[in-house]
Every structure is written in C-alpha cells, then in structure tokens.
Amino acid sequence: VLDRSIKPLPGPAPVINIGKYESFVLDNGLKVFVVENNKIPRVSYSLIVDYNPLPEGELTGLADFTGQLLRKGTTTMSKDQLDEEIDFIGASLSTSATGMYASSLKKHNTRLLELMSDVLLNPAFTGEELEKIRTQAISGLEASKNEPSAISERIGKLLVYGQAHPYGESMTETTAKNITVDQCKAFYEGFFRPQIAYLAIVGNITTTEAKELVTKYFSAWQKQGVPDM
C-alpha cells in the first residue's frame, strides 16, 4: 500500500558516459574541448558563452534579440549571402543568446570556420534585420495569448523565480519595442568574450588539427572585461 505521507526515496543517479576528450586554451582565454569521432566524416562546433544571467527589466528579450542578430549578416556579407554560402557547402550554422552551433562535412571544415568566425567577430547589427526580428517576436507574442501552454509557462516562471529574477522574466510587446540596435551591440560587446567561452568540437578531427584551425580563426577574438551584474 502506498503511504502518501512518506516522501519517496530518490532513484539511483544516472550514469553519465563522457567520451574521451582533449583540451587546450587559447591565449585569449577561449577554452576548447575536442572529442575525436571518425565514424562519419563530419565535424560539429558548439560555442557557449558562459555569462551570468542578468535581469533585463524593460529590455526583456535583449539577449535573445542579440543572439538572433548575430546570424543576420556580417560586415563582409549580407544575410542572404551568408545563407547561400552555408547552403552551398551543405552546412548548418545557428546562433543564440549564449553562443552558436555549426556543423559540416570534414572537407568543408575550413570554410565553415571562416564563416563561423566571421559571424562571431564581425556581426553587422543592422536596424533592418532588428525590425524583422521584432515583428516576428511581437507576432508570436500575439499568437501565444490564447495558447494554454504559453500562458502556463509565463505564470510558472513568475511563480517559481519571481519577477526580479532573470528566469522569471518574459518578453512582452512593450519590452520588444524598447530594444534598439545600439543596446544589442552593447550586450554583444559586453558579454561575448573569449575568456568566459567554451568551444566543444566533436567529429572527424584530431586535436592537432583543431588547435591549428581554432588558433587561426578565433585568436582575433579579443579578451576584455565582462560587466559584473
């Protein structure tokens, strides 16, 4: 008979099997981990920028907008040109508020890193692309007003974390309209820094190859102070 007055004991801890990896650190502080896997001729790159979450208040959505803008073109190529280059080599490249992910066949590895470093180091941050992101966000917010799951998520975050906590905030139409290109630039320049970033490389690549390529394409990423929130 189940006695509901007694708290159940926790189950066994899951066993986590982490593949064998090697690591190195660039002079700018970027920490790199390499897991060699030669089963398929692909290489994947996952970059995480490990900054502490910060309350955004009247600018809730700023980090998300900044992450999306990174993928909307660089100072050397437009978004359409970037899309075309990525499609041409059959690769994938996405960005977020906390970094980026890219993957391609081994034979296109060098070109992929050229594109990845260009996106990371030379984002264009244009007003035109920001307006597209804003319009999509506001449209999505409007559509979610009658979705039980979206409503539940917003209320749940607020109840669990509180309005003053970063995890308790939810973007609104008002906060989306408050965000400017300059604010996105400032967020990027303040928090996208190599000394708080980790780059995980998995696939058909040796540590020696990875170190040579990462040094070539990411050494120009400048180390700088990160705001203490």
Side-chain angles (χ1 to χ4, degrees), residues 18-121:
I18 300 176
K20 182 181 178 181
Y21 69 90
E22 296 185 30
S23 63
F24 57 90
V25 181
L26 296 189
D27 291 341
N28 60 10
L30 176 63
K31 293 164 280 293
V32 185
F33 301 87
V34 183
V35 178
E36 186 175 355
N37 183 345
N38 299 317
K39 292 182 179 179
I40 56 175
R42 293 191 67 86
V43 185
S44 298
Y45 298 85
S46 182
L47 177 73
I48 301 297
V49 183
D50 189 24
Y51 57 82
N52 291 325
L54 64 155
E56 295 179 328
E58 293 301 315
L59 296 176
T60 298
L62 175 61
D64 180 59
F65 277 24
T66 303
Q68 291 186 60
L69 270 177
L70 286 174
R71 181 60 178 76
K72 302 298 183 180
T74 73
T75 56
T76 64
M77 63 180 69
S78 67
K79 179 184 180 300
D80 289 342
Q81 291 173 323
L82 179 60
D83 289 341
E84 185 177 342
E85 289 288 331
I86 292 170
D87 289 343
F88 183 74
I89 62 174
S92 62
L93 196 161
S94 59
T95 59
S96 70
T98 55
M100 64 173 59
Y101 172 83
S103 178
S104 77
L105 291 173
K106 171 68 177 287
K107 64 181 181 179
H108 299 306
N109 196 32
T110 299
R111 182 55 178 154
L112 178 66
L113 282 173
E114 289 176 351
L115 296 172
M116 188 178 177
S117 62
D118 192 26
V119 168
L120 177 64
L121 303 180

Side-chain angles (χ1 to χ4, degrees), residues 182-195:
D182 286 342
Q183 290 161 344
C184 291
K185 287 180 180 178
F187 185 92
Y188 162 79
E189 291 170 356
F191 294 98
F192 275 70
R193 290 298 169 189
Q195 73 272 20

Side-chain angles (χ1 to χ4, degrees), residues 76-226:
T76 64
M77 63 180 69
S78 67
K79 179 184 180 300
D80 289 342
Q81 291 173 323
L82 179 60
D83 289 341
E84 185 177 342
E85 289 288 331
I86 292 170
D87 289 343
F88 183 74
I89 62 174
S92 62
L93 196 161
S94 59
T95 59
S96 70
T98 55
M100 64 173 59
Y101 172 83
S103 178
S104 77
L105 291 173
K106 171 68 177 287
K107 64 181 181 179
H108 299 306
N109 196 32
T110 299
R111 182 55 178 154
L112 178 66
L113 282 173
E114 289 176 351
L115 296 172
M116 188 178 177
S117 62
D118 192 26
V119 168
L120 177 64
L121 303 180
N122 307 305
F125 287 117
T126 65
E128 179 183 359
E129 292 297 340
L130 175 60
E131 290 309 316
K132 292 178 182 178
I133 293 171
R134 194 195 321 277
T135 299
Q136 288 181 330
I138 292 175
S139 177
L141 289 170
E142 185 65 29
S144 69
K145 287 181 179 180
N146 296 318
E147 292 182 4
S149 60
I151 296 171
S152 176
E153 180 184 359
R154 285 173 176 264
I155 295 174
K157 291 196 302 182
L158 186 60
L159 291 175
V160 172
Y161 297 105
Q163 190 170 6
H165 193 281
Y167 294 158
E169 295 179 318
S170 294
M171 181 171 57
T172 66
E173 183 175 338
T174 299
T175 64
K177 289 180 177 179
N178 288 339
I179 298 169
T180 68
V181 167
D182 286 342
Q183 290 161 344
C184 291
K185 287 180 180 178
F187 185 92
Y188 162 79
E189 291 170 356
F191 294 98
F192 275 70
R193 290 298 169 189
Q195 73 272 20
I196 60 169
Y198 300 85
L199 178 62
I201 306 173
V202 180
N204 189 7
I205 188 170
T206 66
T207 301
T208 300
E209 290 174 313
K211 188 169 186 178
E212 180 180 346
L213 289 167
V214 171
T215 300
K216 178 179 180 180
Y217 291 105
F218 293 95
S219 289
W221 193 9
Q222 295 183 359
K223 181 178 180 179
Q224 206 166 342
V226 176

